[in-house]
Short mmCIF file of all heavy atoms in Angstrom, two decimals:
data_model
loop_
_atom_site.label_atom_id
_atom_site.label_comp_id
_atom_site.label_asym_id
_atom_site.label_seq_id
_atom_site.Cartn_x
_atom_site.Cartn_y
_atom_site.Cartn_z
N LEU A 109 38.50 -36.81 -18.41
CA LEU A 109 39.60 -37.18 -19.30
C LEU A 109 39.44 -38.62 -19.78
O LEU A 109 39.77 -38.93 -20.94
CB LEU A 109 40.93 -36.99 -18.56
CG LEU A 109 42.19 -37.18 -19.40
CD1 LEU A 109 42.22 -36.21 -20.58
CD2 LEU A 109 43.44 -36.98 -18.54
N ARG A 110 38.93 -39.50 -18.94
CA ARG A 110 38.69 -40.89 -19.36
C ARG A 110 37.65 -40.93 -20.48
O ARG A 110 37.82 -41.65 -21.48
CB ARG A 110 38.22 -41.73 -18.17
CG ARG A 110 37.94 -43.20 -18.55
CD ARG A 110 37.41 -44.01 -17.38
NE ARG A 110 38.42 -44.21 -16.36
CZ ARG A 110 38.43 -43.65 -15.18
NH1 ARG A 110 37.45 -42.79 -14.85
NH2 ARG A 110 39.38 -43.90 -14.29
N ALA A 111 36.61 -40.17 -20.32
CA ALA A 111 35.58 -40.14 -21.36
C ALA A 111 36.13 -39.59 -22.67
O ALA A 111 35.77 -40.05 -23.77
CB ALA A 111 34.40 -39.30 -20.89
N LEU A 112 37.03 -38.58 -22.57
CA LEU A 112 37.63 -38.02 -23.77
C LEU A 112 38.48 -39.06 -24.50
O LEU A 112 38.44 -39.18 -25.74
CB LEU A 112 38.48 -36.80 -23.40
CG LEU A 112 39.18 -36.08 -24.57
CD1 LEU A 112 38.15 -35.39 -25.45
CD2 LEU A 112 40.19 -35.05 -24.04
N ALA A 113 39.25 -39.84 -23.70
CA ALA A 113 40.13 -40.84 -24.30
C ALA A 113 39.33 -41.99 -24.91
O ALA A 113 39.64 -42.47 -26.01
CB ALA A 113 41.11 -41.35 -23.26
N THR A 114 38.32 -42.45 -24.25
CA THR A 114 37.53 -43.56 -24.79
C THR A 114 36.75 -43.16 -26.03
O THR A 114 36.31 -44.03 -26.79
CB THR A 114 36.56 -44.08 -23.72
OG1 THR A 114 35.75 -42.98 -23.25
CG2 THR A 114 37.32 -44.69 -22.54
N SER A 115 36.57 -41.86 -26.20
CA SER A 115 35.88 -41.39 -27.41
C SER A 115 36.82 -41.29 -28.60
O SER A 115 36.41 -40.90 -29.68
CB SER A 115 35.21 -40.05 -27.15
OG SER A 115 36.20 -39.05 -26.93
N GLY A 116 38.10 -41.60 -28.37
CA GLY A 116 39.06 -41.64 -29.47
C GLY A 116 39.92 -40.41 -29.59
O GLY A 116 40.60 -40.23 -30.60
N ARG A 117 39.95 -39.56 -28.56
CA ARG A 117 40.77 -38.36 -28.63
C ARG A 117 41.79 -38.34 -27.50
O ARG A 117 41.58 -38.97 -26.45
CB ARG A 117 39.89 -37.11 -28.54
CG ARG A 117 39.07 -36.88 -29.79
CD ARG A 117 38.21 -35.64 -29.66
NE ARG A 117 37.19 -35.80 -28.63
CZ ARG A 117 36.38 -34.82 -28.24
NH1 ARG A 117 36.51 -33.60 -28.78
NH2 ARG A 117 35.47 -35.05 -27.32
N ARG A 118 42.87 -37.58 -27.69
CA ARG A 118 43.90 -37.43 -26.68
C ARG A 118 43.75 -36.07 -26.01
O ARG A 118 43.39 -35.07 -26.66
CB ARG A 118 45.28 -37.55 -27.33
CG ARG A 118 46.42 -37.62 -26.32
CD ARG A 118 47.74 -37.86 -27.01
NE ARG A 118 48.18 -36.67 -27.76
CZ ARG A 118 49.45 -36.49 -28.17
NH1 ARG A 118 50.36 -37.43 -27.92
NH2 ARG A 118 49.77 -35.42 -28.86
N GLY A 119 44.08 -36.01 -24.73
CA GLY A 119 43.95 -34.75 -24.04
C GLY A 119 44.68 -34.75 -22.70
O GLY A 119 45.25 -35.75 -22.29
N THR A 120 44.65 -33.60 -22.04
CA THR A 120 45.28 -33.41 -20.73
C THR A 120 44.29 -32.73 -19.81
O THR A 120 43.38 -32.02 -20.25
CB THR A 120 46.55 -32.56 -20.83
OG1 THR A 120 46.21 -31.29 -21.39
CG2 THR A 120 47.59 -33.24 -21.72
N LEU A 121 44.51 -32.89 -18.51
CA LEU A 121 43.63 -32.28 -17.52
C LEU A 121 44.34 -32.28 -16.18
O LEU A 121 45.02 -33.25 -15.82
CB LEU A 121 42.30 -33.03 -17.41
CG LEU A 121 41.24 -32.42 -16.48
CD1 LEU A 121 40.76 -31.09 -17.06
CD2 LEU A 121 40.06 -33.38 -16.30
N VAL A 122 44.22 -31.14 -15.44
CA VAL A 122 44.80 -31.04 -14.10
C VAL A 122 43.87 -31.74 -13.13
O VAL A 122 42.66 -31.45 -13.09
CB VAL A 122 45.02 -29.58 -13.69
CG1 VAL A 122 45.54 -29.49 -12.26
CG2 VAL A 122 45.99 -28.90 -14.64
N GLY A 123 44.41 -32.66 -12.34
CA GLY A 123 43.63 -33.38 -11.34
C GLY A 123 44.48 -33.67 -10.13
O GLY A 123 45.34 -32.85 -9.75
N GLU A 124 44.24 -34.81 -9.49
CA GLU A 124 44.98 -35.21 -8.31
C GLU A 124 45.47 -36.63 -8.46
O GLU A 124 44.86 -37.46 -9.15
CB GLU A 124 44.10 -35.08 -7.05
CG GLU A 124 43.81 -33.66 -6.62
CD GLU A 124 43.10 -33.61 -5.28
OE1 GLU A 124 42.79 -34.70 -4.74
OE2 GLU A 124 42.87 -32.50 -4.78
N TYR A 125 46.59 -36.92 -7.77
CA TYR A 125 47.13 -38.29 -7.72
C TYR A 125 47.77 -38.47 -6.36
O TYR A 125 48.72 -37.74 -6.01
CB TYR A 125 48.15 -38.52 -8.84
CG TYR A 125 48.73 -39.91 -8.85
CD1 TYR A 125 47.97 -40.99 -9.30
CD2 TYR A 125 50.04 -40.14 -8.39
CE1 TYR A 125 48.50 -42.27 -9.30
CE2 TYR A 125 50.56 -41.42 -8.39
CZ TYR A 125 49.79 -42.48 -8.84
OH TYR A 125 50.31 -43.76 -8.82
N ASP A 126 47.22 -39.40 -5.60
CA ASP A 126 47.68 -39.62 -4.22
C ASP A 126 47.60 -38.35 -3.39
O ASP A 126 48.48 -38.05 -2.57
CB ASP A 126 49.11 -40.17 -4.21
CG ASP A 126 49.19 -41.61 -4.72
OD1 ASP A 126 48.12 -42.27 -4.71
OD2 ASP A 126 50.29 -42.05 -5.10
N GLY A 127 46.56 -37.58 -3.60
CA GLY A 127 46.34 -36.37 -2.79
C GLY A 127 47.17 -35.18 -3.19
O GLY A 127 47.17 -34.16 -2.49
N ARG A 128 47.92 -35.28 -4.29
CA ARG A 128 48.74 -34.16 -4.75
C ARG A 128 48.27 -33.71 -6.13
O ARG A 128 47.78 -34.53 -6.91
CB ARG A 128 50.21 -34.59 -4.82
CG ARG A 128 50.82 -34.88 -3.45
CD ARG A 128 52.28 -35.32 -3.56
NE ARG A 128 52.41 -36.61 -4.20
CZ ARG A 128 52.88 -36.80 -5.42
NH1 ARG A 128 53.27 -35.75 -6.15
NH2 ARG A 128 52.99 -38.02 -5.94
N PRO A 129 48.46 -32.40 -6.45
CA PRO A 129 48.09 -31.94 -7.78
C PRO A 129 48.90 -32.68 -8.84
O PRO A 129 50.10 -32.93 -8.67
CB PRO A 129 48.42 -30.45 -7.76
CG PRO A 129 48.45 -30.08 -6.32
CD PRO A 129 48.95 -31.30 -5.59
N ALA A 130 48.25 -33.07 -9.93
CA ALA A 130 48.92 -33.79 -11.01
C ALA A 130 48.34 -33.36 -12.34
O ALA A 130 47.17 -33.00 -12.44
CB ALA A 130 48.77 -35.29 -10.82
N MET A 131 49.21 -33.38 -13.38
CA MET A 131 48.78 -33.12 -14.74
C MET A 131 48.60 -34.47 -15.44
O MET A 131 49.56 -35.21 -15.63
CB MET A 131 49.80 -32.26 -15.48
CG MET A 131 49.47 -32.06 -16.97
SD MET A 131 47.95 -31.11 -17.23
CE MET A 131 48.53 -29.46 -16.80
N TRP A 132 47.37 -34.81 -15.76
CA TRP A 132 47.06 -36.08 -16.40
C TRP A 132 47.04 -35.90 -17.91
O TRP A 132 46.61 -34.88 -18.44
CB TRP A 132 45.69 -36.59 -15.95
CG TRP A 132 45.67 -37.12 -14.54
CD1 TRP A 132 45.37 -36.46 -13.41
CD2 TRP A 132 45.94 -38.47 -14.17
NE1 TRP A 132 45.43 -37.27 -12.31
CE2 TRP A 132 45.79 -38.53 -12.75
CE3 TRP A 132 46.32 -39.64 -14.85
CZ2 TRP A 132 46.00 -39.70 -12.04
CZ3 TRP A 132 46.52 -40.81 -14.13
CH2 TRP A 132 46.37 -40.83 -12.74
N ALA A 133 47.53 -36.95 -18.59
CA ALA A 133 47.46 -37.03 -20.05
C ALA A 133 46.94 -38.41 -20.43
O ALA A 133 47.39 -39.42 -19.85
CB ALA A 133 48.82 -36.77 -20.68
N ALA A 134 45.99 -38.48 -21.36
CA ALA A 134 45.38 -39.76 -21.72
C ALA A 134 45.19 -39.84 -23.22
O ALA A 134 45.01 -38.82 -23.89
CB ALA A 134 44.05 -39.93 -20.99
N THR A 135 45.21 -41.07 -23.73
CA THR A 135 45.02 -41.33 -25.15
C THR A 135 44.25 -42.64 -25.31
O THR A 135 44.30 -43.51 -24.41
CB THR A 135 46.38 -41.42 -25.88
OG1 THR A 135 46.16 -41.48 -27.29
CG2 THR A 135 47.17 -42.64 -25.44
N PRO A 136 43.52 -42.83 -26.38
CA PRO A 136 42.76 -44.08 -26.54
C PRO A 136 43.69 -45.28 -26.75
O PRO A 136 44.72 -45.17 -27.44
CB PRO A 136 41.88 -43.80 -27.75
CG PRO A 136 42.57 -42.70 -28.49
CD PRO A 136 43.27 -41.90 -27.48
N ALA A 137 43.29 -46.42 -26.18
CA ALA A 137 44.06 -47.66 -26.34
C ALA A 137 43.11 -48.84 -26.20
O ALA A 137 42.65 -49.13 -25.08
CB ALA A 137 45.19 -47.75 -25.31
N ASP A 138 42.79 -49.47 -27.34
CA ASP A 138 41.91 -50.64 -27.35
C ASP A 138 40.57 -50.34 -26.70
O ASP A 138 40.05 -51.12 -25.89
CB ASP A 138 42.58 -51.84 -26.65
CG ASP A 138 43.89 -52.23 -27.32
OD1 ASP A 138 43.98 -52.04 -28.55
OD2 ASP A 138 44.81 -52.68 -26.61
N GLY A 139 40.01 -49.18 -27.01
CA GLY A 139 38.70 -48.81 -26.47
C GLY A 139 38.72 -48.33 -25.05
O GLY A 139 37.67 -48.04 -24.47
N ARG A 140 39.88 -48.28 -24.46
CA ARG A 140 40.00 -47.76 -23.09
C ARG A 140 40.95 -46.57 -23.07
O ARG A 140 41.39 -46.11 -24.12
CB ARG A 140 40.48 -48.89 -22.16
CG ARG A 140 39.46 -50.00 -21.97
CD ARG A 140 39.93 -51.04 -20.98
NE ARG A 140 41.12 -51.74 -21.48
CZ ARG A 140 41.79 -52.63 -20.75
NH1 ARG A 140 41.41 -52.90 -19.51
NH2 ARG A 140 42.85 -53.25 -21.26
N ALA A 141 41.28 -46.08 -21.88
CA ALA A 141 42.13 -44.90 -21.74
C ALA A 141 43.50 -45.30 -21.22
O ALA A 141 43.60 -45.89 -20.14
CB ALA A 141 41.50 -43.88 -20.80
N LEU A 142 44.52 -45.02 -22.03
CA LEU A 142 45.90 -45.18 -21.58
C LEU A 142 46.34 -43.83 -21.06
O LEU A 142 46.38 -42.84 -21.79
CB LEU A 142 46.79 -45.63 -22.73
CG LEU A 142 48.29 -45.73 -22.40
CD1 LEU A 142 48.53 -46.78 -21.32
CD2 LEU A 142 49.09 -46.03 -23.66
N ALA A 143 46.67 -43.77 -19.76
CA ALA A 143 46.93 -42.47 -19.13
C ALA A 143 48.21 -42.51 -18.32
O ALA A 143 48.67 -43.57 -17.89
CB ALA A 143 45.77 -42.08 -18.22
N THR A 144 48.75 -41.31 -18.11
CA THR A 144 49.91 -41.11 -17.24
C THR A 144 49.79 -39.75 -16.58
O THR A 144 48.94 -38.91 -16.97
CB THR A 144 51.22 -41.22 -18.04
OG1 THR A 144 52.33 -41.18 -17.12
CG2 THR A 144 51.34 -40.06 -19.03
N GLN A 145 50.61 -39.51 -15.62
CA GLN A 145 50.55 -38.23 -14.89
C GLN A 145 51.94 -37.78 -14.50
O GLN A 145 52.85 -38.60 -14.34
CB GLN A 145 49.65 -38.36 -13.65
CG GLN A 145 50.04 -39.44 -12.69
CD GLN A 145 51.14 -38.99 -11.70
OE1 GLN A 145 51.26 -37.80 -11.42
NE2 GLN A 145 51.93 -39.96 -11.21
N VAL A 146 52.09 -36.46 -14.39
CA VAL A 146 53.32 -35.85 -13.88
C VAL A 146 52.96 -34.96 -12.69
O VAL A 146 51.85 -34.44 -12.60
CB VAL A 146 54.05 -35.05 -14.98
CG1 VAL A 146 54.51 -35.95 -16.11
CG2 VAL A 146 53.14 -33.94 -15.52
N ASP A 147 53.91 -34.82 -11.82
CA ASP A 147 53.66 -34.03 -10.60
C ASP A 147 53.44 -32.56 -10.98
O ASP A 147 54.22 -31.98 -11.73
CB ASP A 147 54.84 -34.17 -9.64
CG ASP A 147 54.56 -33.48 -8.32
OD1 ASP A 147 53.40 -33.42 -7.92
OD2 ASP A 147 55.52 -32.97 -7.70
N TYR A 148 52.37 -32.00 -10.45
CA TYR A 148 52.00 -30.60 -10.71
C TYR A 148 52.11 -29.75 -9.45
O TYR A 148 51.73 -28.58 -9.43
CB TYR A 148 50.57 -30.55 -11.27
CG TYR A 148 50.15 -29.21 -11.84
CD1 TYR A 148 50.70 -28.74 -13.03
CD2 TYR A 148 49.22 -28.43 -11.19
CE1 TYR A 148 50.32 -27.52 -13.55
CE2 TYR A 148 48.84 -27.20 -11.71
CZ TYR A 148 49.39 -26.74 -12.89
OH TYR A 148 49.01 -25.53 -13.41
N SER A 149 52.66 -30.29 -8.36
CA SER A 149 52.70 -29.57 -7.08
C SER A 149 53.54 -28.30 -7.16
O SER A 149 53.14 -27.23 -6.67
CB SER A 149 53.24 -30.50 -5.98
OG SER A 149 52.44 -31.63 -5.85
N GLN A 150 54.73 -28.43 -7.77
CA GLN A 150 55.60 -27.26 -7.84
C GLN A 150 54.96 -26.14 -8.65
O GLN A 150 55.04 -24.97 -8.29
CB GLN A 150 56.95 -27.67 -8.45
CG GLN A 150 57.97 -26.53 -8.51
CD GLN A 150 58.33 -26.01 -7.13
OE1 GLN A 150 58.39 -26.79 -6.17
NE2 GLN A 150 58.57 -24.71 -7.01
N SER A 151 54.32 -26.51 -9.77
CA SER A 151 53.66 -25.49 -10.59
C SER A 151 52.52 -24.83 -9.83
O SER A 151 52.32 -23.60 -9.90
CB SER A 151 53.14 -26.13 -11.87
OG SER A 151 54.19 -26.70 -12.63
N ALA A 152 51.74 -25.61 -9.09
CA ALA A 152 50.64 -25.05 -8.30
C ALA A 152 51.16 -24.11 -7.23
O ALA A 152 50.59 -23.03 -6.98
CB ALA A 152 49.81 -26.17 -7.67
N ARG A 153 52.28 -24.53 -6.56
CA ARG A 153 52.86 -23.65 -5.55
C ARG A 153 53.39 -22.36 -6.18
O ARG A 153 53.31 -21.28 -5.59
CB ARG A 153 53.98 -24.38 -4.80
CG ARG A 153 53.48 -25.39 -3.79
CD ARG A 153 54.60 -25.82 -2.84
NE ARG A 153 55.66 -26.53 -3.56
CZ ARG A 153 55.70 -27.84 -3.76
NH1 ARG A 153 54.71 -28.60 -3.30
NH2 ARG A 153 56.69 -28.41 -4.41
N THR A 154 53.94 -22.48 -7.38
CA THR A 154 54.44 -21.28 -8.07
C THR A 154 53.30 -20.30 -8.35
O THR A 154 53.42 -19.09 -8.14
CB THR A 154 55.13 -21.68 -9.37
OG1 THR A 154 56.23 -22.55 -9.07
CG2 THR A 154 55.64 -20.46 -10.11
N ILE A 155 52.19 -20.83 -8.82
CA ILE A 155 51.03 -19.96 -9.11
C ILE A 155 50.48 -19.35 -7.83
O ILE A 155 50.15 -18.16 -7.78
CB ILE A 155 49.96 -20.76 -9.85
CG1 ILE A 155 50.47 -21.19 -11.24
CG2 ILE A 155 48.68 -19.95 -10.00
CD1 ILE A 155 49.53 -22.08 -12.01
N ASP A 156 50.39 -20.15 -6.73
CA ASP A 156 49.89 -19.61 -5.45
C ASP A 156 50.83 -18.53 -4.93
O ASP A 156 50.38 -17.49 -4.41
CB ASP A 156 49.75 -20.74 -4.44
CG ASP A 156 48.63 -21.70 -4.80
OD1 ASP A 156 47.75 -21.30 -5.58
OD2 ASP A 156 48.65 -22.85 -4.29
N SER A 157 52.14 -18.76 -5.03
CA SER A 157 53.10 -17.75 -4.57
C SER A 157 52.98 -16.48 -5.39
O SER A 157 53.07 -15.35 -4.86
CB SER A 157 54.52 -18.29 -4.64
OG SER A 157 54.67 -19.44 -3.83
N LEU A 158 52.78 -16.66 -6.71
CA LEU A 158 52.61 -15.50 -7.56
C LEU A 158 51.37 -14.70 -7.18
O LEU A 158 51.40 -13.47 -7.12
CB LEU A 158 52.54 -15.94 -9.02
CG LEU A 158 52.27 -14.83 -10.04
CD1 LEU A 158 53.43 -13.85 -10.07
CD2 LEU A 158 52.03 -15.42 -11.43
N ASP A 159 50.26 -15.41 -6.91
CA ASP A 159 49.03 -14.71 -6.50
C ASP A 159 49.24 -13.94 -5.21
O ASP A 159 48.77 -12.80 -5.06
CB ASP A 159 47.89 -15.72 -6.35
CG ASP A 159 47.46 -16.30 -7.69
OD1 ASP A 159 47.78 -15.69 -8.71
OD2 ASP A 159 46.81 -17.37 -7.68
N GLY A 160 49.93 -14.55 -4.25
CA GLY A 160 50.22 -13.84 -3.00
C GLY A 160 51.08 -12.62 -3.22
O GLY A 160 50.85 -11.56 -2.61
N ALA A 161 52.09 -12.77 -4.10
CA ALA A 161 52.95 -11.62 -4.38
C ALA A 161 52.17 -10.50 -5.07
O ALA A 161 52.39 -9.31 -4.81
CB ALA A 161 54.13 -12.06 -5.24
N ILE A 162 51.26 -10.89 -5.97
CA ILE A 162 50.45 -9.87 -6.66
C ILE A 162 49.58 -9.12 -5.66
O ILE A 162 49.49 -7.88 -5.68
CB ILE A 162 49.59 -10.54 -7.75
CG1 ILE A 162 50.47 -11.04 -8.90
CG2 ILE A 162 48.54 -9.56 -8.28
CD1 ILE A 162 49.72 -11.82 -9.96
N VAL A 163 48.92 -9.86 -4.75
CA VAL A 163 48.06 -9.21 -3.76
C VAL A 163 48.87 -8.30 -2.85
O VAL A 163 48.51 -7.15 -2.58
CB VAL A 163 47.30 -10.26 -2.94
CG1 VAL A 163 46.54 -9.60 -1.79
CG2 VAL A 163 46.32 -11.03 -3.84
N GLY A 164 50.02 -8.80 -2.36
CA GLY A 164 50.84 -7.99 -1.45
C GLY A 164 51.38 -6.74 -2.12
O GLY A 164 51.32 -5.64 -1.56
N SER A 165 51.92 -6.91 -3.34
CA SER A 165 52.46 -5.75 -4.04
C SER A 165 51.35 -4.75 -4.41
O SER A 165 51.56 -3.54 -4.40
CB SER A 165 53.21 -6.19 -5.29
OG SER A 165 52.34 -6.91 -6.17
N SER A 166 50.15 -5.27 -4.72
CA SER A 166 49.03 -4.37 -5.03
C SER A 166 48.64 -3.55 -3.81
O SER A 166 48.42 -2.33 -3.91
CB SER A 166 47.83 -5.18 -5.53
OG SER A 166 48.15 -5.87 -6.73
#
Side-chain angles (χ1 to χ4, degrees):
L109 187 58
R110 179 183 291 109
L112 181 68
T114 55
S115 67
R117 289 180 294 174
R118 188 175 71 162
T120 59
L121 185 66
V122 176
E124 289 188 357
Y125 180 75
D126 289 341
R128 293 180 292 108
M131 175 65 74
W132 287 92
T135 188
D138 301 329
R140 292 184 295 174
L142 175 62
T144 187
Q145 56 84 26
V146 296
D147 186 30
Y148 191 70
S149 301
Q150 183 62 35
S151 300
R153 284 194 296 270
T154 300
I155 294 175
D156 291 340
S157 300
L158 176 65
D159 291 341
I162 291 175
V163 172
S165 59
S166 299

